[in-house]
Coordinates of all heavy atoms in Angstrom, one line a residue:
Q81 N 5.5 -1.8 30.8 CA 6.5 -0.9 31.2 C 6.1 -0.2 32.6 O 6.9 0.0 33.5 CB 6.7 0.2 30.2 CG 7.4 -0.3 28.9 CD 8.9 -0.5 29.2 OE1 9.5 -0.2 30.2 NE2 9.5 -1.3 28.2
L82 N 4.8 0.1 32.7 CA 4.3 0.6 33.9 C 4.4 -0.4 35.1 O 4.8 0.0 36.2 CB 2.9 1.1 33.8 CG 2.2 1.8 35.0 CD1 3.0 3.1 35.3 CD2 0.8 2.2 34.6
Y83 N 4.1 -1.6 34.8 CA 4.2 -2.6 35.8 C 5.7 -2.8 36.3 O 5.9 -2.9 37.5 CB 3.7 -4.0 35.3 CG 3.7 -5.1 36.3 CD1 2.6 -5.3 37.1 CD2 4.7 -6.0 36.4 CE1 2.5 -6.3 38.0 CE2 4.7 -7.0 37.3 CZ 3.6 -7.2 38.1 OH 3.5 -8.2 39.0
I84 N 6.6 -2.8 35.4 CA 8.0 -2.9 35.8 C 8.5 -1.7 36.5 O 9.2 -1.8 37.5 CB 8.9 -3.1 34.5 CG1 8.6 -4.5 33.9 CG2 10.4 -3.0 34.8 CD1 8.9 -5.7 34.7
S85 N 8.0 -0.5 36.1 CA 8.4 0.7 36.8 C 7.9 0.8 38.2 O 8.6 1.3 39.1 CB 8.0 2.0 36.0 OG 8.5 2.0 34.7
I86 N 6.7 0.3 38.4 CA 6.2 0.3 39.8 C 7.0 -0.6 40.7 O 7.2 -0.3 41.9 CB 4.7 -0.2 39.8 CG1 3.8 1.0 39.2 CG2 4.2 -0.5 41.2 CD1 2.4 0.6 39.0
L87 N 7.4 -1.8 40.1 CA 8.3 -2.7 40.9 C 9.7 -2.3 41.0 O 10.5 -3.1 41.5 CB 8.1 -4.1 40.3 CG 6.7 -4.7 40.3 CD1 6.7 -6.1 39.7 CD2 6.1 -4.8 41.7
D88 N 10.1 -1.1 40.5 CA 11.5 -0.7 40.4 C 12.1 -0.7 41.7 O 13.2 -1.3 41.9 CB 11.5 0.7 39.8 CG 12.9 1.2 39.6 OD1 13.9 0.5 39.9 OD2 13.1 2.3 39.0
K89 N 11.5 -0.2 42.7 CA 12.1 0.0 44.1 C 11.8 -1.2 45.0 O 12.3 -1.3 46.1 CB 11.6 1.2 44.7 CG 11.9 2.5 44.0 CD 11.4 3.7 44.7 CE 11.7 5.0 43.9 NZ 11.1 6.2 44.6
Y90 N 11.1 -2.2 44.5 CA 10.7 -3.3 45.3 C 11.2 -4.7 44.9 O 10.7 -5.7 45.4 CB 9.2 -3.3 45.5 CG 8.6 -1.9 45.7 CD1 7.7 -1.4 44.8 CD2 9.0 -1.1 46.7 CE1 7.1 -0.1 44.9 CE2 8.5 0.1 46.9 CZ 7.6 0.6 46.0 OH 7.1 1.9 46.2
V91 N 12.0 -4.7 43.9 CA 12.6 -6.0 43.5 C 13.7 -6.4 44.3 O 14.4 -5.6 44.9 CB 13.0 -6.0 42.0 CG1 11.8 -5.7 41.1 CG2 14.1 -4.9 41.8
P92 N 13.9 -7.7 44.5 CA 15.1 -8.2 45.3 C 16.4 -7.8 44.7 O 16.5 -7.6 43.5 CB 14.9 -9.7 45.3 CG 13.5 -10.0 45.0 CD 13.1 -8.8 44.1
P93 N 17.4 -7.5 45.5 CA 18.7 -7.1 45.0 C 19.3 -8.1 44.0 O 20.0 -7.7 43.1 CB 19.6 -7.0 46.2 CG 18.7 -6.8 47.4 CD 17.4 -7.6 47.0
A94 N 19.0 -9.4 44.2 CA 19.6 -10.4 43.3 C 19.0 -10.3 41.8 O 19.7 -10.7 40.9 CB 19.2 -11.8 43.8
L95 N 17.9 -9.6 41.7 CA 17.3 -9.5 40.3 C 17.6 -8.1 39.7 O 17.1 -7.8 38.6 CB 15.8 -9.7 40.4 CG 15.3 -11.1 40.8 CD1 13.8 -11.2 40.9 CD2 15.9 -12.2 39.9
Q96 N 18.2 -7.2 40.5 CA 18.4 -5.9 40.0 C 19.2 -5.8 38.7 O 18.9 -5.1 37.8 CB 19.2 -5.0 41.0 CG 18.3 -4.6 42.2 CD 17.3 -3.5 41.9 OE1 17.4 -2.9 40.8 NE2 16.4 -3.3 42.7
H97 N 20.3 -6.7 38.6 CA 21.1 -6.7 37.4 C 20.4 -7.2 36.2 O 20.7 -6.9 35.1 CB 22.4 -7.6 37.6 CG 22.1 -9.0 37.8 ND1 21.6 -9.6 39.0 CD2 22.2 -10.1 36.9 CE1 21.4 -10.9 38.8 NE2 21.8 -11.2 37.6
C98 N 19.3 -8.1 36.4 CA 18.5 -8.6 35.3 C 17.6 -7.6 34.8 O 17.3 -7.5 33.6 CB 17.8 -9.9 35.7 SG 18.8 -11.2 36.3
L99 N 17.1 -6.7 35.7 CA 16.1 -5.8 35.3 C 16.6 -4.4 35.0 O 15.9 -3.4 34.7 CB 15.0 -5.6 36.4 CG 14.2 -6.9 36.7 CD1 13.2 -6.7 37.8 CD2 13.5 -7.4 35.5
T100 N 17.9 -4.2 35.0 CA 18.5 -2.9 34.8 C 18.1 -2.3 33.5 O 17.8 -1.1 33.4 CB 20.1 -3.0 34.9 OG1 20.4 -3.4 36.2 CG2 20.7 -1.6 34.7

Side-chain angles (χ1 to χ4, degrees):
Q81 290 289 345
L82 183 60
Y83 184 86
I84 293 296
S85 298
I86 289 177
L87 299 180
D88 185 356
K89 300 180 181 179
Y90 316 122
V91 294
L95 297 179
Q96 286 286 348
H97 68 282
C98 300
L99 298 179
T100 298

